[in-house]
Amino acid sequence: MTPDPTPPARQGALDLCGVSLRGPVLNGSGTFDVIAARRAFGDVLLERFPFDAFVSKTITLAPRQGNPPPRLWETPAGLINSIGLPNKGLDGFLELDLPRLAELPVPLVVSVMGFSRDELARLAGAVGEREEVAMLELNVSCPNVETGLVMGADPAETALAVERVRAQTDTPLIVKLTPNATDPAAVAAAAQDAGADAVSLVNTLKGIALNPETGGAWLGGGGGGVSGPAIRAIALEQVAAVAARVEIPVIGMGGIASGRHAADFLAAGATAVAVGTESFRDPAAGTRIATELAELSLRGGQPAPASTVV
Ligand SMILES: Cc1cc2nc3c(=O)[nH]c(=O)nc-3n(C[C@H](O)[C@H](O)[C@H](O)COP(=O)(O)O)c2cc1C
């Protein structure tokens, strides 16, 4: 990330849930540690910020250590991660991280996850009332301790969670869908009907890696989540299915590593896209992908609309 007097061209501005963005490329939650990147790259990071909105790592009510190492396994064309959502908890986030995130030159989306609807509602209420926060993202990829069901795997569970959160805050609400659901489009429709302003997908797919010496789990946390180009075709299908089912904006992600991939997600019906695993390989990937996307659209290179993709 070197200084350059001419910032690269980005695809046009858009309105996402009433929040104006200079372009359609976000980051996937948990895949870009902006506070560490600012330490490494200095203010050049702010001048050439790779994303058009920044999504925080998911926070929980209580602080979490995360899973024991090892936390990453490289698969062909992807990663399996078992990070386990280490974070400072709500109070630590508000005191230590939010002031730093508020300095970013783009709107801030804060990702929250609760182990019960009460927890989710408390988090959303406390974070949503902060003026630095433009949008909330609900990460519903975890089991509800009250029911044992993964909130985002079931339309009824999702609806109950979203209704509860909606009652706490008027801040625009993105529901991040898990691909590990029987019918993600039904979950998206339930989220929309319960008051979500947008949905984002996909989160990681379930995966494991085995230790060749012991035959046991390689990752310290046991199972993990697969991301990167390995999941792109699956993500694209789910984005197309969800976009065909709901009227609210869809933020598409899963293995996006080039402007061409981003254009495919937009053609499949997404309003915006997010870059995740690719940022580990190249911290400026968001900028490169946005530039490639802008060039493609200048050349009229958008692929066919969603109806012919599915
Ligand atoms: C190391 C790592 C950490 C992640 N942490 C989170 C997280 O905290 N919250 C969340 O909603 N998604 C998290 N994700 C999922 C990503 O945001 C994204 O949905 C997923 O990786 C698919 O996009 P990609 O293939 O471009 O990485 C994480 C993914 C990775 C690889």
Side-chain angles (χ1 to χ4, degrees):
M1 199 169 285
T2 46
D4 180 343
T6 4
R10 299 184 81 97
Q11 179 141 354
L14 74 147
D15 180 289
L16 186 65
C17 314
V19 176
S20 104
L21 307 188
R22 64 183 185 184
V25 180
L26 286 64
N27 64 298
S29 170
T31 61
F32 193 93
D33 183 342
V34 81
I35 295 173
R38 179 116 183 249
R39 268 199 304 273
F41 300 115
D43 285 348
V44 173
L45 178 75
L46 305 188
E47 285 151 29
R48 294 173 61 80
F49 198 68
F51 309 109
D52 297 315
F54 183 77
V55 185
S56 79
K57 181 158 182 60
T58 299
I59 61 160
T60 50
L61 199 53
R64 286 170 59 87
Q65 292 292 327
N67 288 332
R71 289 172 163 186
L72 288 178
W73 172 271
E74 193 174 340
T75 55
L79 276 183
I80 309 181
N81 88 80
S82 174
I83 308 286
L85 300 177
N87 76 96
K88 302 183 174 86
L90 174 63
D91 293 343
F93 173 80
L94 292 177
E95 189 192 331
L96 301 168
D97 287 355
L98 186 57
R100 318 281 293 278
L101 299 179
E103 290 169 10
L104 301 179
V106 295
L108 176 64
V109 183
V110 176
S111 167
V112 297
M113 183 177 97
F115 295 94
S116 67
R117 284 173 220 135
D118 269 348
E119 268 192 31
L120 252 186
R122 273 184 64 192
L123 275 163
V127 175
E129 73 177 14
R130 300 297 294 252
E131 61 176 23
E132 304 93 317
V133 178
M135 294 184 246
L136 286 167
E137 184 170 79
L138 288 195
N139 176 352
V140 287
S141 297
C142 69
N144 180 345
V145 290
E146 290 150 345
T147 63
L149 295 172
V150 170
M151 287 189 199
D154 178 71
E157 275 282 320
T158 302
L160 288 169
V162 174
E163 269 164 25
R164 194 66 194 282
V165 168
R166 185 74 290 171
Q168 291 297 314
T169 179
D170 293 330
T171 301
L173 202 56
I174 304 166
V175 175
K176 174 140 180 205
L177 303 174
T178 169
N180 306 308
T182 312
D183 185 355
V187 178
Q192 170 180 266
D193 295 346
D197 298 292
V199 288
S200 58
L201 72 154
V202 295
N203 210 320
T204 53
L205 279 103
K206 278 200 224 175
I208 56 167
L210 299 184
N211 181 325
E213 276 164 28
T214 63
W218 166 266
L219 293 163
V226 188
S227 64
I231 69 167
R232 192 166 57 242
I234 300 163
L236 189 60
E237 189 279 332
Q238 294 203 2
V239 165
V242 165
R245 184 80 172 265
V246 298
E247 274 145 36
I248 53 179
V250 175
I251 302 163
M253 73 194 94
I256 294 178
S258 73
R260 179 81 245 168
H261 302 150
D264 286 350
F265 278 76
L266 296 176
T271 298
V273 294
V275 177
T277 300
E278 182 65 6
S279 293
F280 288 104
R281 221 177 48 74
D282 170 13
T287 303
R288 175 178 54 76
I289 290 167
T291 309
E292 290 169 0
L293 186 59
E295 284 165 3
L296 263 181
S297 93
L298 272 181
R299 282 192 269 130
Q302 295 286 3
S307 54
T308 58
V309 171
V310 224

